Amino acid sequence: MLAVEALALRYAGIRALRGVSLSVAEGETVALIGPNGAGKSSLLNAISGIVRPAAGRIRFDGRDITALPPWEIARMGLIQVPEGRQVFAEMTVLENLLTGRTALAGRAEIFSLDDVFAMFPILRERAGQLAGSLSGGQQQMLAIARGLMGAPRLLLLDEPSLGLAPLIVAQVFRALAGLKARGLTILLVEQNARQALAASDRALVLEQGRIVHHGPSAELARDPDVIAHYLGQGDTGAMTQQGGG
Amino acid sequence: MLAQQLLNGFVVGGVYALFALGFTLVFGIQRVLNLAHGAIFMSGAFIAYYTVAAGGPLWLGLALAVIGSGLISVLVEIVCFRRLRRSGDEEFGGIISSIGASLVIMTIAQRISDTQVLRFPFETFPVIIWRFWGLRVSALQLFMLALALALVVVLGWFIYRTAFGRQVRAVTQNERAAMLMGINPVRIHMQTFFLSGALAGAAGVLVGLAFSSIRYTMGEPFLMYGFVIIILGGLGSIPGALLASFLFGMGQTMLTAYMPSAISGLNEAFIFAALFLLLLFRPHGLMGREAAGALRGRR
Ligand SMILES: Nc1ncnc2c1ncn2[C@@H]1O[C@H](COP(=O)(O)OP(=O)(O)OP(=O)(O)O)[C@@H](O)[C@H]1O
Ligand SMILES: [Mg+2]
């Protein structure tokens, strides 16, 4: 469904991606883990058309989307839930969700308003409240729900557990399991390697702009190197790699 | 007498609202002051005047002014802001380039009008005056107020009740997230500039009718008033701009009516002094928020 080939990306001298290739098949959940500054967000942003790669190609459903603007990519059903939630703070929860429907652009909805409210009941309770007044966990749920309103065929999630309390993290991962069960295709970026491996079919490890490990998630979870670097000291293991970019 | 002046001020405030809301809309969405807004306002008065002068009916002049000013505003967006936005230099660069556009538009108007003051022919708008409760209201005043209020209501409905309005606000608050939701900000910017210019054009026609002096420089004081209004109301706040427009219109009318004529030249000084005082106590204006810049979110 998604095929990324030899993608390279640089920001004013910094080489954020150095030849990344990956693919995601329909119905799969693929996890992308790696330390701070590894280039995970850069990769998602290149796929979404927010930043332009220096080299390489991105195809979605066989169509070359490397040069398409972000809104057209979203309208094809390749939808990113960005790092740090990025909800529209001065709009209500309901308005945020309705804005998410822009990406439908004539395609049939997959998740209705009732579906996302059933998934995250707190959003129904807070529907009339400004998004900026929600807690971090609620904003993350809103960000995911807003993405779902645009009928994603492939959902890109950038660190949905970032900065959330463990209880909320568990709730977010339960929601992701529910989405996977419904057959949604997901590319999940996480620093929380343990949870990400548990939630995915396949996983890739990105370090300094390169993919250094890949394979079925269960296998990676047994890989001594991955254990040492990412699973060693519990969920914060990735922090030992800080500044590796 | 007081009630009469308040009424007059309210009518003037309605016109200011048309002008200032467009100004606010663009500022709110782009964090950029479109300094050609006064010239766009003037172009509305010109388009209506020349339509009427060529024998067209006033309603046609008004319609052409609204559409024409909207299109000129879109042109300003494309020429002055779009490229700068791409290079991320719109905040300062946009001020300079829109001053440039303003000069170009004014120079064209100066040439067309041969630097003359233009007036709508007598009775372009029927002169009818009603009296009730000791007040004096002209049909033109009622028309101005009705049109201003109608346009303000339509704008409010657009911005707060439609999918288009949600998209505008989404782009204002977080352009990057908006793009990820399938919103094309380039189109939203163009549509916003059209609305902004159309409102300014309508205001220009009303001012041309009410004060019967259409000049290529007529936008300049309005640009200044526009500043006062959007700062008074709170940068980027639509309800704030609305409230400030009426306050400003009434305050200005009162000053003109009650200040001894010997010091009437100081009226503007009083207005700016009052604004200055208010900002000492409410640095973000009447309805502004802590950090107007934060409305936009990170890029
Ligand atoms: N807009 C930018 N301009 C310049 N450099 C950038 C920009 N965005 C990211 N970088 C740099 O590119 C590299 C990759 O950053 P990226 O945000 O993709 O990493 P990440 O894996 O998402 O990290 P994190 O886990 O902290 O989110 C880093 O060295 C970062 O400093
Ligand atoms: Mg990141």
Side-chain angles (χ1 to χ4, degrees), chain B residues 241-280:
Chain B
L242 194 57
L243 176 66
S245 297
F246 285 105
L247 284 180
F248 183 73
M250 292 198 265
Q252 201 189 31
T253 311
M254 293 302 201
L255 278 175
T256 314
Y258 293 111
M259 276 295 157
S261 55
I263 55 166
S264 68
L266 291 176
N267 281 354
E268 308 234 312
F270 282 119
I271 286 173
F272 283 96
L275 177 70
F276 184 74
L277 271 182
L278 181 113
L279 290 180
L280 280 181

Coordinates of all heavy atoms in Angstrom, one line a residue, chain B residues 241-280:
Chain B
A241 N -13.2 43.2 17.4 CA -13.1 44.2 16.3 C -14.5 44.8 16.1 O -14.7 46.0 15.9 CB -12.6 43.7 15.0
L242 N -15.5 44.0 16.2 CA -16.9 44.5 16.1 C -17.3 45.5 17.2 O -17.8 46.6 16.9 CB -17.8 43.2 16.1 CG -19.3 43.4 15.7 CD1 -19.3 43.9 14.2 CD2 -20.0 42.1 15.8
L243 N -17.0 45.1 18.4 CA -17.3 45.9 19.6 C -16.5 47.2 19.4 O -17.1 48.3 19.6 CB -16.9 45.2 20.9 CG -17.0 46.0 22.2 CD1 -18.5 46.2 22.4 CD2 -16.4 45.2 23.3
A244 N -15.2 47.1 19.1 CA -14.4 48.3 19.0 C -14.8 49.2 17.9 O -14.8 50.5 18.0 CB -12.9 47.9 18.8
S245 N -15.4 48.7 16.8 CA -15.8 49.5 15.7 C -16.9 50.4 16.2 O -17.0 51.6 15.9 CB -16.4 48.7 14.6 OG -15.3 47.9 14.0
F246 N -17.9 49.9 16.9 CA -19.0 50.7 17.3 C -18.6 51.7 18.4 O -19.0 52.8 18.4 CB -20.2 49.8 17.8 CG -20.9 49.1 16.7 CD1 -20.7 47.8 16.4 CD2 -21.7 49.9 15.9 CE1 -21.4 47.2 15.3 CE2 -22.4 49.3 14.8 CZ -22.2 47.9 14.5
L247 N -17.8 51.2 19.3 CA -17.3 52.2 20.3 C -16.5 53.3 19.7 O -16.7 54.5 20.0 CB -16.3 51.5 21.3 CG -16.9 50.5 22.3 CD1 -15.8 49.9 23.2 CD2 -17.9 51.3 23.2
F248 N -15.7 53.0 18.7 CA -14.9 54.0 18.1 C -15.8 54.9 17.3 O -15.6 56.2 17.3 CB -13.9 53.3 17.2 CG -12.9 54.3 16.5 CD1 -11.9 54.9 17.2 CD2 -13.0 54.5 15.1 CE1 -11.1 55.8 16.6 CE2 -12.2 55.4 14.5 CZ -11.2 56.0 15.2
G249 N -16.7 54.4 16.5 CA -17.6 55.2 15.7 C -18.4 56.2 16.6 O -18.5 57.4 16.3
M250 N -18.9 55.7 17.7 CA -19.7 56.5 18.6 C -18.8 57.6 19.3 O -19.2 58.7 19.4 CB -20.5 55.7 19.6 CG -21.5 54.9 18.9 SD -22.8 54.3 20.0 CE -22.2 52.6 20.3
G251 N -17.6 57.1 19.8 CA -16.7 58.0 20.5 C -16.3 59.2 19.5 O -16.3 60.3 19.9
Q252 N -16.0 58.8 18.3 CA -15.5 59.8 17.4 C -16.7 60.8 17.1 O -16.4 62.0 17.0 CB -15.1 59.1 16.1 CG -14.2 59.9 15.2 CD -14.0 59.3 13.9 OE1 -14.9 58.6 13.4 NE2 -12.8 59.5 13.3
T253 N -17.9 60.3 16.9 CA -19.0 61.2 16.6 C -19.3 62.1 17.8 O -19.6 63.3 17.6 CB -20.3 60.3 16.3 OG1 -19.9 59.4 15.4 CG2 -21.4 61.2 15.8
M254 N -19.2 61.6 19.0 CA -19.4 62.4 20.2 C -18.4 63.5 20.3 O -18.7 64.7 20.6 CB -19.2 61.5 21.5 CG -20.3 60.5 21.6 SD -21.8 61.4 21.7 CE -22.8 60.1 22.4
L255 N -17.1 63.2 20.0 CA -16.1 64.2 20.1 C -16.4 65.3 19.1 O -16.3 66.5 19.5 CB -14.7 63.6 19.8 CG -14.0 62.8 20.9 CD1 -12.7 62.2 20.4 CD2 -13.7 63.8 22.1
T256 N -16.7 64.9 17.9 CA -17.0 65.9 16.9 C -18.1 66.8 17.3 O -18.1 68.0 17.1 CB -17.3 65.2 15.5 OG1 -16.3 64.2 15.3 CG2 -17.3 66.2 14.4
A257 N -19.1 66.2 17.9 CA -20.4 66.9 18.3 C -20.1 67.9 19.5 O -20.7 69.0 19.5 CB -21.5 66.0 18.6
Y258 N -19.4 67.4 20.5 CA -19.3 68.1 21.7 C -18.1 68.9 22.0 O -18.0 69.7 22.9 CB -19.6 67.2 22.9 CG -21.1 66.7 22.8 CD1 -21.3 65.4 22.5 CD2 -22.1 67.6 23.1 CE1 -22.6 64.9 22.5 CE2 -23.4 67.1 23.0 CZ -23.7 65.8 22.7 OH -25.0 65.3 22.6
M259 N -17.0 68.6 21.2 CA -15.8 69.4 21.5 C -15.9 70.8 21.0 O -16.5 71.0 19.9 CB -14.6 68.7 20.7 CG -14.0 67.6 21.5 SD -13.2 68.2 23.0 CE -13.3 66.7 23.9
P260 N -15.5 71.8 21.7 CA -15.5 73.2 21.2 C -14.8 73.2 19.9 O -13.7 72.5 19.7 CB -14.7 73.9 22.3 CG -14.7 73.1 23.5 CD -14.8 71.7 23.0
S261 N -15.3 73.9 18.9 CA -14.7 73.8 17.6 C -13.3 74.3 17.5 O -12.5 74.0 16.7 CB -15.6 74.6 16.6 OG -15.8 75.9 17.0
A262 N -12.9 75.2 18.5 CA -11.6 75.7 18.6 C -10.5 74.6 18.7 O -9.4 74.7 18.1 CB -11.4 76.7 19.7
I263 N -10.9 73.5 19.4 CA -9.9 72.5 19.5 C -10.3 71.2 18.8 O -9.8 70.1 19.1 CB -9.6 72.1 21.0 CG1 -10.9 71.8 21.7 CG2 -8.9 73.3 21.7 CD1 -10.7 71.1 23.1
S264 N -11.2 71.3 17.8 CA -11.6 70.1 17.1 C -10.5 69.4 16.4 O -10.6 68.2 16.1 CB -12.7 70.5 16.1 OG -12.2 71.3 15.1
G265 N -9.4 70.2 16.1 CA -8.3 69.6 15.4 C -7.6 68.5 16.3 O -6.8 67.7 15.8
L266 N -7.9 68.6 17.5 CA -7.3 67.6 18.5 C -8.0 66.3 18.7 O -7.6 65.5 19.4 CB -7.1 68.3 19.8 CG -6.1 69.4 19.9 CD1 -6.0 70.1 21.2 CD2 -4.7 68.9 19.5
N267 N -9.2 66.2 18.0 CA -10.0 65.0 18.2 C -9.3 63.7 18.1 O -9.4 62.8 18.9 CB -11.2 65.0 17.2 CG -12.3 66.0 17.7 OD1 -12.2 66.5 18.8 ND2 -13.3 66.2 16.8
E268 N -8.4 63.6 17.0 CA -7.7 62.4 16.8 C -6.7 62.2 17.9 O -6.5 61.0 18.4 CB -7.0 62.4 15.5 CG -8.0 62.7 14.4 CD -8.0 61.7 13.2 OE1 -6.9 61.4 12.8 OE2 -9.1 61.3 12.8
A269 N -6.1 63.3 18.4 CA -5.2 63.1 19.5 C -5.9 62.6 20.7 O -5.3 61.7 21.4 CB -4.6 64.5 19.8
F270 N -7.1 63.0 21.0 CA -7.9 62.5 22.1 C -8.1 61.0 21.9 O -8.0 60.2 22.9 CB -9.2 63.2 22.3 CG -9.1 64.5 22.9 CD1 -9.5 65.7 22.2 CD2 -8.6 64.7 24.2 CE1 -9.4 66.9 22.8 CE2 -8.5 65.9 24.8 CZ -8.9 67.1 24.1
I271 N -8.5 60.6 20.7 CA -8.8 59.2 20.5 C -7.5 58.3 20.7 O -7.6 57.3 21.4 CB -9.3 59.0 19.0 CG1 -10.7 59.6 18.9 CG2 -9.2 57.6 18.6 CD1 -11.3 59.6 17.6
F272 N -6.4 58.8 20.2 CA -5.2 58.0 20.4 C -4.7 58.0 21.9 O -4.2 57.0 22.4 CB -4.1 58.4 19.5 CG -4.3 58.0 18.1 CD1 -4.9 58.8 17.1 CD2 -3.9 56.7 17.7 CE1 -5.1 58.3 15.8 CE2 -4.2 56.2 16.4 CZ -4.8 57.0 15.5
A273 N -5.0 59.1 22.5 CA -4.6 59.2 24.0 C -5.5 58.2 24.7 O -5.0 57.4 25.6 CB -4.8 60.6 24.5
A274 N -6.8 58.1 24.4 CA -7.7 57.2 25.1 C -7.2 55.7 24.8 O -7.2 54.9 25.7 CB -9.1 57.4 24.6
L275 N -6.8 55.5 23.6 CA -6.4 54.1 23.2 C -5.1 53.8 24.0 O -5.0 52.7 24.6 CB -6.0 54.0 21.7 CG -5.5 52.7 21.3 CD1 -6.5 51.6 21.3 CD2 -4.9 52.8 19.9
F276 N -4.3 54.7 24.1 CA -3.0 54.5 24.9 C -3.3 54.2 26.3 O -2.8 53.3 26.9 CB -2.2 55.8 24.8 CG -0.8 55.7 25.4 CD1 0.2 55.0 24.8 CD2 -0.6 56.4 26.6 CE1 1.4 54.9 25.4 CE2 0.6 56.3 27.3 CZ 1.6 55.5 26.7
L277 N -4.2 55.0 26.9 CA -4.6 54.7 28.3 C -5.2 53.3 28.5 O -4.9 52.6 29.4 CB -5.7 55.8 28.8 CG -5.1 57.0 29.3 CD1 -6.2 58.0 29.8 CD2 -4.2 56.7 30.5
L278 N -6.1 53.0 27.5 CA -6.7 51.7 27.7 C -5.7 50.6 27.6 O -5.8 49.6 28.3 CB -7.8 51.5 26.5 CG -8.5 50.2 26.7 CD1 -9.9 50.4 27.0 CD2 -8.3 49.3 25.4
L279 N -4.7 50.7 26.7 CA -3.7 49.7 26.6 C -2.9 49.5 27.8 O -2.3 48.5 28.1 CB -2.9 49.9 25.3 CG -3.6 49.7 24.0 CD1 -2.7 49.9 22.8 CD2 -4.2 48.3 23.9
L280 N -2.7 50.6 28.6 CA -2.0 50.5 29.8 C -2.7 49.5 30.8 O -2.0 48.8 31.5 CB -1.9 51.9 30.5 CG -0.9 52.9 30.0 CD1 -0.9 54.2 30.8 CD2 0.5 52.2 30.0

